Every structure is written in C-alpha cells, then in structure tokens.
Amino acid sequence: MTAAATVTGSGEQEVRRSTRSGAVGLLGAAVNGLLGFVLTVVIVRGLGPAASGAMFTAIGVVAIVGVLCCAGADTALVWALPRRTPGRDGDAARLLPVALVPALLFTVAVAAAGVALSGALAPVLFDPGTNEGDDLLRLAFAGLPFVVTMTVLLAAVRAVRPVAALVAVQYVLVPAARPALVATALLAGAGVSVAFAGWLAPVALAVLVCVALLVRPLGLASPAALRPAPTDWRLFWGFALPRAASATIDASSMWLTVLLTAALAGQAEAGVIGAVGRYALAGLLVMQGLRVAVAPQLSRLLGQGRTAEAAAVYRRITAVIIGLSWPGYLMLAVFAPGFLRLFGAAFTTGDTAMVVLAGAMLVNSGTGIVQTLLLMSGSSGRHLMAAATGLLLNVGLALVLIPPYGALGAAVAWTVGIVAENVLATVAARRAVGVPLVTRAVLRTAALAAAATAVLAGTGAAVAGRDVAGLFLTLGVAALLAAGLLLHPRVRRWARTTVPSLLGRSPR
C-alpha cells in the first residue's frame, strides 16, 4: 500500500470515528435542546416577563462569572489530556490538580466577594421593584464553586471517556433535573429565589458522578498519579489563560446581552431578549453536540501533525451542522411570531429581534466547529483576538442601540459581534491548519438546505401566515415529506449502504 493510500485510509477512519461520536453527541444535543426548551417554558410561563427576566439575569451571572472563574481550565483539559498517557502509570491524571486548584481558589475568592457585595450589586442588575434581587445574587455567587468544579470535571470526562458519558451527565442528568425542580418550586407557590435554587441544585450531583467516572481512566486511586511536574503548570496555563478570556466572552454572549438590556431598557425587555436568545441558541446545540464529540479527536490529530485528516473531520462535521441547523434557523426567521407566541403573547414583541438573530446564527453555524479547530490547534491567543473583537462590537453597539430600541437593539448588536468573531476565527483557523477548510460538498449542502427550507417555509407562510397556524402547518408538511423520503426505495438503499460504513461496519 502506498503512503498516499495509507493517509487516505486513515483519514476515512478518522471521519468515520468522528461520525460515530457525533451521532451520540447529536442525540444528546437533541435531548438537551428539548429539556432546555421545557425549562424556558416553565420559567416564562410560571414567572412572566419581569420575574423571568430576573431569573435569567441570575442565571446570566452564574454563566458569565462561572466561565471567568474556570479561567480556561476546562478547554485546556480537552486540549491537553488527549495528548497524554491515561491510566495508573500515565501522566494524564497529574493535570487534574493543575486545572482544579487555581480555578477553585480564584472561584472561592470571587464567590465570597460576590456574596458580601450582593446588596450593592442588586440595584444595578435588577429593577427597583425586584424584591428578591439580593437573594438571587447571594445564591448565584454561593453556587459558583460547585459550578466551576462541575465544568472542569466534565471537561476531563469529555477528554478521557467515550462521549456517551459526557452526554449522560451534561445533556441528560442536569437539564432533566432543572425543569423538574423549578416547576416543583413554582407549583408549591415559592418565589423566584427558590426556583433559582432548584436550577442550581443538580450541579452537586453532577460533581459526584464526574468523580466516579474519572477514577478508573485517570488512575485517581493512586496519589502519585496526581503529583504534577513543574512543566505541567507552565504548559497548561500557557494555553488556558488566553482561553479564559475568550471562553468568558463566548459563554456570556447571551447573558451579557440580557444584563445590558436589563440595565439599559428594563427587566421586561430583558425577559424578551432572553426568550429570543433561547431560541437562537437552541439551534447551536447541534454544533455543541458535535463539538464535544470530536474536540479531543481534533487535538490528537493536530498534535500528531495530521492536519489533512483534521481538516477532513472538520469539513464532514460542518456539512452535518449546516444540513441540520440551517432549516431550523430559516424557520425561526419566517415564523418568529409563532415561535414566540408559544412563550406567551407578551413575548411576540421580539419577533423582529428573532429574525435578526436567526441571520447571525446562519453565519455562526455555517462556519461549523471552526473555533474548536482553532483552539485544538493550540491557537488560544488567536481565538481570544477574534472573540474580543466580537465582544467590543457587541458592547459598543449595545450601549448605543438598546436604550432607543430595547430587545431589537440588543439583537442587532449581538448579531454584529457574532458575525465578526466567526469571520476572524475562520481566517485564523485556515492559517493555523494550513489546508482548505471549505469544499464544494460543504457549499452544496448549504445551498440545498437553504433552498429547500425557503420553499417549504415560504409556502407555509403564504398559506397560513407567520403565526402559530403557519408554523404548525409547515412542520406537519415537513414531517410528511421526511416520512415519504424514508419510504422511497432509493433512500432506503442509500441508508443500508452508507449508515453501516459510517458506523465502521460492512454494509448488509
């Protein structure tokens, strides 16, 4: 066998491996998205726009400050652990204290300061009539050490365990417990603070499950395995610190928008942009599910200098993301009033903001997992530059646009930041990897997904309007068309030959 044939065969195996992992990640993303939608419905239906805006604000504090306190340690573990030797005699476990100890010390300090200052911070983040603002902030800061521990341990699970383990904890256990506990609190007549405590509670259980999942693959039963070498600190935090800033920017994009809207336009407008943002980010669960599945694989390939194979994995995953995400975002844009009416009539004022954000997410999903590719190449500094540029544009425009336009102004500012960050990250990833990232196959997938959805959604809107009736008519027609395709002999033959090969088996 020639060297070229060996590389080609290896590349096909890596693409199949990414597809198998991606299928599990997609299943987890679907479950997570459904449970996240249920949670949002429970919050907005149970609390209304103003009180749900207060709870979204508290969740935003946890999201933003929690990622900041992680200091990039979670992504650094995903990057570093696949390049180490696991097991009792390996050198992988010693990265765990390197990641956890500094992050937790910093988090405890931030949490203590936040609890002490909650009385002063509450009037800044919440409307004057919000009675439970102090309690919400105290709970948010008190829960930070548990949230950070969970995040870092989940990253370790992601790096050393099959993706199903991560999916079980992060995409099923935690998101399933949250709506159940929040709904129980609201049905019992409790206020927003108790409901928020229900949102926080599953984190402690997730920490215990993660520890149990890491004992065997990292050899944690041996104390010697946890003793870091001096070089571990420099190498690990040399990657992690630039990522700390960009991770905070990435994770806080929605919640920063909610907080700015609450401060500049009021709690009700914050509740509207929070609901709109939930829909916009729901489509990214496809990308998130695939990203968590293949990030360790990309790190391993790039660490071994196998850039062509890493690019092949990226292209396959990006085509899948476009094929699955673009129809959803085009539907969000066309039927924005119908989607928002499911939250309540008060939220339909955000329909134009939904259209704007749907356009931004077409760009975001269209670039696929380019930011993961950039990070797993070790270029955390370049990723920080892209994220910081997007943040500056977002905040600068938000300060100008939110006071006069409310949720719509927030959506426009957020959109500009998203587009700028993704364009810059794509250019940086192309330079870091050194091979083309976009092929005709990816472009064909985008054109087909956009054209088919535009025809279907446009017809549904023309017949029944853009509200709930048009939305459900279009979804029903789409379901019938999908069922018809599955019954077609040619489609069944394609599935019998293609799906087994992607799963690493011989066609039947």
Side-chain angles (χ1 to χ4, degrees):
M1 182 180 291
T2 65
T6 301
V7 171
T8 301
S10 176
E12 291 175 354
Q13 290 176 1
E14 292 295 342
V15 170
R16 289 173 184 168
R17 180 179 299 174
S18 70
T19 304
R20 291 194 297 270
S21 299
V24 178
L26 276 177
L27 179 61
V31 174
N32 191 24
L34 176 62
L35 294 171
F37 177 77
V38 171
L39 174 63
T40 302
V41 171
V42 168
I43 292 173
V44 299
R45 286 286 191 180
L47 295 173
S52 66
M55 185 159 172
F56 285 141
T57 300
I59 295 173
V61 170
V62 174
I64 295 173
V65 182
V67 174
L68 176 64
C69 290
C70 280
D74 51 337
T75 306
L77 281 176
V78 177
W79 167 72
L81 284 176
R83 305 176 183 220
R84 297 291 184 105
T85 304
R88 185 184 183 93
D89 300 321
D91 60 349
R94 67 194 200 193
L95 290 179
L96 207 55
V98 173
L100 269 175
V101 173
L104 275 179
L105 289 175
F106 179 49
T107 302
V108 170
V110 171
V115 170
L117 296 173
S118 58
L121 292 173
V124 178
L125 296 175
F126 299 98
D127 284 352
T130 304
N131 297 325
E132 299 182 72
D134 293 10
D135 294 335
L136 285 171
L137 282 182
R138 277 192 287 270
L139 280 170
F141 282 109
L144 276 178
F146 299 96
V147 171
V148 169
T149 302
M150 179 190 72
T151 303
V152 174
L153 292 180
L154 279 172
V157 170
R158 175 181 173 188
V160 302
R161 281 277 191 178
V163 69
L166 176 76
V167 166
V169 181
Q170 185 174 356
Y171 286 176
V172 179
L173 175 63
V174 173
R178 278 176 167 163
L181 293 174
V182 172
T184 300
L186 294 177
L187 288 173
V192 65
S193 295
V194 177
F196 180 57
W199 182 87
L200 281 172
V203 172
L205 176 60
V207 169
L208 297 176
V209 175
C210 286
V211 172
L213 288 170
L214 291 172
V215 170
R216 184 174 180 181
L218 291 182
L220 298 183
S222 171
L226 292 169
R227 190 174 299 121
T231 56
D232 291 334
W233 298 89
R234 178 178 56 82
L235 292 174
F236 185 89
W237 288 103
F239 176 94
L241 288 178
R243 175 55 181 158
S246 64
T248 304
I249 295 168
D250 290 343
S252 65
S253 58
M254 172 181 168
W255 301 116
L256 178 63
T257 299
V258 170
L259 295 178
L260 286 171
T261 305
L264 298 173
Q267 211 74 63
E269 287 292 306
V272 171
I273 195 62
V276 169
R278 279 291 186 180
Y279 271 124
L281 294 181
L284 295 185
L285 289 172
V286 172
M287 180 160 35
Q288 184 181 353
L290 293 168
R291 175 187 292 136
V292 300
V294 303
Q297 181 185 6
L298 288 174
S299 176
R300 175 176 53 82
L301 291 173
L302 293 170
Q304 296 169 355
R306 298 158 65 184
T307 55
E309 294 164 61
V313 170
Y314 164 80
R315 288 190 290 264
R316 169 64 65 87
I317 294 300
T318 297
V320 172
I321 290 170
I322 292 173
L324 295 177
S325 296
W326 277 29
Y329 282 124
L330 289 169
M331 292 280 286
L332 277 181
V334 174
F335 297 107
F339 278 105
L340 288 170
R341 191 172 294 278
L342 297 177
F343 286 155
F347 292 90
T348 57
T349 57
D351 59 346
T352 306
M354 177 94 89
V355 174
V356 172
L357 272 180
M361 294 305 170
L362 287 173
V363 176
N364 197 355
S365 57
T367 59
I369 56 169
V370 69
Q371 303 204 37
T372 301
L373 182 67
L374 181 60
L375 283 167
M376 293 303 103
S377 71
S379 303
S380 56
R382 291 181 181 180
H383 185 266
L384 173 58
M385 291 181 63
T389 301
L391 173 68
L392 290 174
L393 289 170
N394 184 5
V395 173
L397 288 173
L399 294 174
V400 174
L401 296 177
I402 289 177
Y405 299 109
L408 176 59
V412 172
W414 191 5
T415 294
V416 173
I418 288 169
V419 173
E421 178 179 348
N422 278 276
V423 169
L424 292 173
T426 301
V427 173
R430 173 65 177 85
R431 291 176 179 173
V433 176
V435 296
L437 299 179
V438 178
T439 61
R440 290 181 179 178
V442 175
L443 295 176
R444 281 196 300 268
T445 301
L448 180 61
T453 308
V455 171
L456 181 62
T459 303
V463 171
R466 298 176 61 210
D467 217 313
V468 175
L471 170 62
F472 282 108
L473 172 64
T474 304
L475 291 176
V477 172
L480 290 175
L481 289 174
L485 283 174
L486 291 175
L487 294 174
H488 195 282
R490 183 176 296 178
V491 174
R492 292 209 306 269
R493 284 196 300 271
W494 174 86
R496 282 196 298 267
T497 57
T498 304
V499 173
S501 67
L502 291 177
L503 296 175
R505 301 193 296 265
S506 299
R508 290 183 288 179

